[in-house]
Amino acid sequence: MQINHKLHVAFIVDGNGRWAKARNKPRTFGHKKGVERLEALIEGLKDNQEIGCLSFYLFSLENWKRSSEEINYLFKYLVSFLKKNAKRLTEYNLRFKWTGFKEKLSNEIINLLIKFENDTKNNTGIIINFVFNYGGIQDIIYTANKLKNYPGNITKEIFLENSLLNGLNDVDLLIRTSGEQRISNYLMLLLAYTEFIFEPTKFPDYTLEIFYKNLEEFKTRDIRKGGYSKKDDSK
Ligand code: IPE
Ligand code: IPE
Ligand code: MG
């Protein structure tokens, strides 16, 4: 496959809890390790010329069903990841984006996420998109309500610009770790022709080597988007 634009690769970070449980540790230990893997992935891919955007699904609106203890730990690890990497994001020329709703989040977290977006908005490198406190269906409903008095025809572009996905391209490759095979209300509006890889490795064990293996598999896919195969000369 010829790559002629930069790729949007979207991860569903999954398997932290089971990874920890298999080691007789609390689920929160899995989140701690998961955040370390996240850091290693960003570090390893920061100069990758094929990638334009890396999205990471870190907290869904449905994840509020979990215990407050687990949620507090997960948020704590993410906040310390951000604080620790504040300078590095800019040194690496990365653009930070937060995709998610403000509802139920503390002002401290909201302000931190917005500050990171502002501090890195003039960078020109890879977009690091934290999908945090997000739900794809809720975003569609939110956008429909926002546009209910819109004068004129609503196009795909106008709809997307008004959604929380403003500024993001369609996802080229979605990688879900831990072997689960579902979307779990992720970036619905950007997944129309996405290639999916369901990687059995749980996220705390997910390495750069596994990512490159996934990327190679993606490059073997025959992406037609309703048209003809690039390998097909019968047309
Ligand atoms: C993914 O790991 C991280 C979040 C959803 C926040 P899980 O916590 O879902 O881990 P499993 O799926 O229970 O193993
Ligand atoms: C999806 O994982 C959400 C995130 C990775 C943040 P879940 O572990 O919450 O999804 P389900 O419940 O298995 O579908
Ligand atoms: Mg899970």
Side-chain angles (χ1 to χ4, degrees):
M1 194 193 70
Q2 197 75 39
I3 296 176
N4 51 18
H5 78 293
K6 295 213 174 188
L7 299 173
H8 181 179
V9 180
F11 287 92
I12 300 183
V13 165
D14 200 12
N16 294 351
R18 279 163 287 159
W19 182 91
K21 210 175 154 206
R23 285 159 184 77
N24 286 319
K25 301 270 199 226
R27 294 177 56 83
T28 52
F29 182 64
H31 295 317
K32 189 166 191 274
K33 289 286 162 192
V35 173
E36 286 172 20
R37 297 321 306 162
L38 182 72
E39 189 169 21
L41 268 184
I42 294 173
E43 180 81 34
L45 296 174
K46 65 185 192 309
D47 297 317
N48 190 299
Q49 293 300 312
E50 289 179 320
I51 295 171
C53 178
L54 290 170
S55 291
F56 297 98
Y57 201 8
L58 299 169
F59 195 78
S60 71
L61 290 176
E62 289 76 26
N63 286 146
W64 287 107
K65 291 175 189 165
R66 299 194 182 186
S67 74
S68 56
E69 195 203 358
E70 180 174 345
I71 294 171
N72 288 340
Y73 269 102
L74 177 67
F75 286 14
K76 192 179 100 162
Y77 295 138
L78 289 171
V79 165
S80 46
F81 165 82
L82 287 175
K83 288 187 173 162
K84 183 178 161 204
N85 287 284
K87 268 212 196 107
R88 233 175 277 172
L89 283 174
T90 293
E91 273 165 30
Y92 293 168
N93 194 25
L94 300 171
R95 269 175 294 171
F96 179 81
K97 180 175 163 66
W98 166 39
T99 299
F101 289 91
K102 290 183 181 163
E103 278 77 6
K104 289 197 185 178
L105 295 181
S106 69
N107 283 337
E108 192 210 345
I109 292 193
I110 294 171
N111 292 339
L112 194 67
L113 292 164
I114 293 175
K115 179 177 159 31
F116 268 78
E117 284 192 332
N118 284 332
D119 289 353
T120 61
K121 68 171 189 274
N122 293 325
N123 293 350
T124 53
I126 298 179
I127 298 172
I128 303 296
N129 179 30
F130 270 33
V131 185
F132 179 77
N133 208 31
Y134 186 76
I137 296 285
Q138 291 85 347
D139 194 9
I140 293 168
I141 294 167
Y142 156 82
T143 311
N145 278 312
K146 190 174 161 190
L147 290 172
K148 71 177 170 227
N149 296 321
Y150 186 82
N153 286 328
I154 296 170
T155 61
K156 179 185 167 188
E157 287 71 30
I158 290 167
F159 198 87
L160 279 171
E161 269 166 30
N162 282 281
S163 76
L164 296 181
L165 304 173
N166 179 29
L168 295 169
N169 290 334
D170 283 344
V171 175
D172 298 285
L173 169 61
L174 183 148
I175 300 171
R176 184 171 189 147
T177 57
S178 88
E180 301 298 335
Q181 303 190 7
R182 54 182 169 271
I183 298 179
S184 301
N185 203 13
Y186 197 20
L187 307 167
M188 315 283 278
L189 282 164
L190 304 180
L191 299 180
Y193 276 103
T194 299
E195 295 294 322
F196 287 71
I197 290 183
F198 297 110
E199 167 61 45
T201 310
K202 294 180 182 65
F203 197 74
D205 284 331
Y206 189 83
T207 59
L208 210 51
E209 289 67 36
I210 302 172
F211 172 74
Y212 285 125
K213 186 197 75 178
N214 294 154
L215 191 64
E216 284 315 304
E217 181 185 336
F218 167 74
K219 290 179 187 174
T220 67
R221 302 275 177 96
D222 189 10
I223 298 167
R224 295 186 290 276
K225 299 197 174 173
Y228 296 109
S229 168
K230 297 214 171 51
K231 298 170 192 154
D232 183 2
D233 52 12
S234 64
K235 57 182 185 274

